[in-house]
Amino acid sequence: MSRRLSAEDRELWERVKGSVAPMHPAQAIPAPLPKAPSPPVQAPAAPPAPQPIAPFRVGQAVDHRKTNDLLPGLAESLARGPLRMDAGTFGRMRKGKLRPDARIDLHGMTLAEAHPALQSFILGSRAKGRRLVLVITGKGRVNDDLAPMPARAGRLRHDVPRWLMLPPLAGAVLQVAPAHQRHGGEGALYVYLRA
């Protein structure tokens, strides 16, 4: 609620303004510095168009080699992410030719136990100057196929990559990729840390 000044208040204000002297009259107010141009913002890559679902006839034979999962698998979703590290080093890492500096085994932990353990491990590894670490999540149990709502096998396997892309870990992580078979395959992730 705004209030207008009365004539008496205005007169008092003018007297106060007239009695005040500047503290540093010789100093000019510096002009604001020009802002540096901000780097161009890249638009996020558009998700691929979903593949059409083939028509189904009652009595039709089922091809069990295909998946009915509408979401991409972990390997596909990690492969779609941008490459933020040297391509040669990334290739050697994915082929299992780089040896991880450290590893953590989250296999068998609950989500409540695994999240703080992962944060402590990643931030501690970066503080120690490690570059490549291995995070073992396990492949996960296969749940009951007759459940009314399908659930992905391996909550840790699917939640750990998401945790690595969120603060405070996002600032420490440069790249995440599925591990090579010799380091755990589908049940482990390579995490390449920033220098």
Side-chain angles (χ1 to χ4, degrees), residues 65-121:
R65 294 171 298 179
K66 292 183 180 178
T67 178
N68 293 325
D69 197 355
L70 299 178
L71 292 174
L74 181 64
E76 294 91 25
S77 62
L78 288 176
R80 287 184 187 156
L83 181 62
R84 290 181 235 131
M85 60 184 287
D86 176 60
T89 306
F90 181 71
R92 288 195 311 277
M93 179 180 74
R94 288 202 52 216
K95 291 176 185 174
K97 294 183 179 180
L98 296 181
R99 186 170 178 232
D101 300 325
R103 63 189 240 154
I104 185 171
D105 191 351
L106 303 176
H107 185 247
M109 291 186 186
T110 64
L111 294 175
E113 296 167 337
H115 196 200
L118 178 68
Q119 284 185 352
S120 176
F121 173 72

Side-chain angles (χ1 to χ4, degrees), residues 138-163:
K139 294 180 183 177
R141 288 190 190 126
V142 177
N143 294 336
D144 182 14
D145 288 336
L146 301 175
M149 290 296 293
R152 287 182 173 257
R155 286 292 306 269
L156 280 177
R157 186 171 162 238
H158 292 280
D159 284 353
V160 166
R162 184 176 54 84
W163 293 343

Side-chain angles (χ1 to χ4, degrees), residues 13-57:
W13 175 244
E14 292 300 325
R15 279 192 289 168
V16 169
K17 273 186 8 184
S19 67
V20 175
M23 288 179 64
H24 306 285
Q27 293 180 352
I29 298 174
L33 296 173
K35 286 187 177 180
S38 59
V41 178
Q42 293 181 346
Q51 296 179 355
I53 298 175
F56 179 79
R57 291 188 336 263

